[in-house]
Amino acid sequence: MATIEQSSLSKVPILMAGDISPAIMRQFEHGCKNYFVHKKIIVDDHVPLIIGSIQDNHVSNWISVDRDHLIGLSFDMFMVDFHANYLAEDWEEDMLCELLSMT
């Protein structure tokens, strides 16, 4: 299972290799947004600053193949593509079922 490492808000969160769950994806997104605010990063630099922190080989290969396109995206659009490529197609339904089964 993938994990996130972030030693402080002033450091980019690092997405370690492994299967990426919706919770890990959300944790990565949240960590990135906190980093942008804390460091006052301009919008155009959001994606270029975080793509190097993704340590999973599959994701790194996806980034290297389409780097110029991905760097040009807003962070929100990058995350939409990231979700589409690395979360199960029915992840939202799975999460809803999991939430509804909690007691």
Side-chain angles (χ1 to χ4, degrees), residues 20-62:
I20 302 170
S21 69
I24 291 295
M25 184 75 75
R26 178 66 186 119
Q27 187 180 351
F28 179 71
E29 184 173 1
H30 185 70
C32 288
K33 287 181 176 182
N34 284 336
Y35 167 73
F36 300 148
V37 169
H38 185 76
K39 294 294 281 187
K40 297 177 175 77
I41 306 294
I42 62 170
V43 172
D44 290 345
D45 290 342
H46 287 183
V47 175
L49 285 174
I50 59 98
I51 61 172
S53 71
I54 299 173
Q55 302 298 309
D56 185 87
N57 287 334
H58 299 293
V59 180
S60 293
N61 289 339
W62 168 65

